[in-house]
Amino acid sequence: MQDKRFSKRNAQLKAGPRIAEAILDFVGQTPLSTELEARKPELRARAIAASAARRAAVTSSGLSLPPGPLGWLTLLPELRSLWQLQTQLVADIAACYGKTAELGREEMIYCLFRHTDAQAVRDLVAQIGQRFVVQRASRPQVQAVVLKIGMHIAQRLIGKGISRWIPVFGALGAGAYAYYDTTQVADTAIEFFAGVIDVEAEDARVVGDDERDVDDERRWQR
């Protein structure tokens, strides 16, 4: 049992940074949206969310069909496909509320992953009633947050990967989870963009901080 637990822990430690790197790829650039500001933004946002959730379920189910070892190979591509769809969803919801300009890296991370790791995203966005305070963070700070999220997701994937050995049932479960996950992202985005958003600039840095940031980034990449 100890060997098995060590193996799972080792897999988590290896997968976490890779997942974090993939997250940074998706949150670094906000996708364009063709949506216009809506007279009833929540109604339009809910319609967009329902469509996105259905597409997410179909995509995840399809990628989960290969059984056994082949199924394991589709885990990261499945996540990438899901995040691509969800980042577009967040961008479209922001546009519905006329707040595309307010959507940056920190806001995207918050909308995508608050339901995954609420504690980690509090370092970027704090909610006070219907007011959201966004803290602009340095790259090392953002990396630290997404690494926590990546480790959390990696832990979940270890259990999720087992379902890849069960054809059809595993695919249905993956589709259902993708639907739920995308719905959670939409709920967070709707609540966020319907509220008041205050952005605080990154704290002023003293001489030498830039060098420490580079060192932190190098350590994170190892």
Side-chain angles (χ1 to χ4, degrees):
M1 286 293 290
Q2 289 182 349
D3 290 342
K4 216 175 255 190
R5 283 197 298 270
F6 176 79
S7 177
K8 287 183 178 180
R9 177 64 178 168
N10 193 40
Q12 181 183 345
L13 289 173
K14 289 181 178 179
R18 289 187 62 195
I19 293 171
E21 288 177 8
I23 292 172
L24 285 174
D25 288 342
F26 280 95
V27 301
Q29 188 173 3
T30 303
L32 297 175
S33 175
T34 58
E35 291 291 326
L36 301 175
E37 185 174 356
R39 293 180 61 186
K40 296 182 178 179
E42 183 174 354
L43 190 63
R44 177 57 184 158
R46 292 292 177 192
I48 295 170
S51 176
R54 288 192 294 270
R55 293 201 308 274
V58 171
T59 299
S60 289
S61 295
L63 288 172
S64 301
L65 282 173
L70 286 177
W72 281 89
L73 295 175
T74 64
L75 282 171
L76 195 53
E78 179 188 334
L79 281 177
R80 286 180 175 276
S81 296
L82 191 60
W83 291 336
Q84 183 176 16
L85 188 150
Q86 290 176 350
T87 53
Q88 186 64 60
L89 168 64
V90 173
D92 289 341
I93 291 175
C96 285
Y97 282 89
K99 294 184 177 179
T100 297
E102 282 89 340
L103 179 56
R105 180 178 59 182
E106 290 81 5
E107 292 87 349
M108 183 65 80
I109 292 173
Y110 177 80
C111 291
L112 290 178
F113 301 110
R114 188 189 71 168
H115 67 287
T116 300
D117 197 332
Q119 188 64 42
V121 299
R122 280 180 193 153
D123 293 337
L124 301 176
V125 179
Q127 182 177 2
I128 306 171
Q130 291 187 330
R131 178 171 170 259
F132 296 86
V133 181
V134 180
Q135 177 64 57
R136 288 287 177 247
S138 66
R139 183 173 177 82
Q141 288 173 324
V142 172
Q143 287 174 333
V145 170
V146 298
L147 183 57
K148 290 177 186 177
I149 296 170
M151 297 297 286
H152 189 104
I153 294 173
Q155 185 178 27
R156 189 187 74 206
L157 286 181
I158 292 170
K160 187 179 177 183
I162 296 173
S163 68
R164 294 296 208 262
W165 294 90
I166 311 173
V168 182
F169 176 79
L172 291 174
Y177 182 82
Y179 186 96
Y180 164 81
D181 192 70
T182 303
T183 300
Q184 292 295 300
V185 170
D187 288 345
T188 299
I190 290 170
E191 180 185 26
F192 179 75
F193 291 112
V196 177
I197 303 172
D198 291 332
V199 179
E200 293 185 357
E202 183 183 344
D203 293 337
R205 295 176 176 276
V206 297
V207 176
D209 274 0
D210 289 341
E211 294 178 3
R212 284 196 291 273
D213 286 350
V214 172
D215 290 339
D216 289 342
E217 184 170 347
R218 285 173 180 168
R219 282 196 294 273
W220 185 84
Q221 290 175 340
R222 287 174 185 169

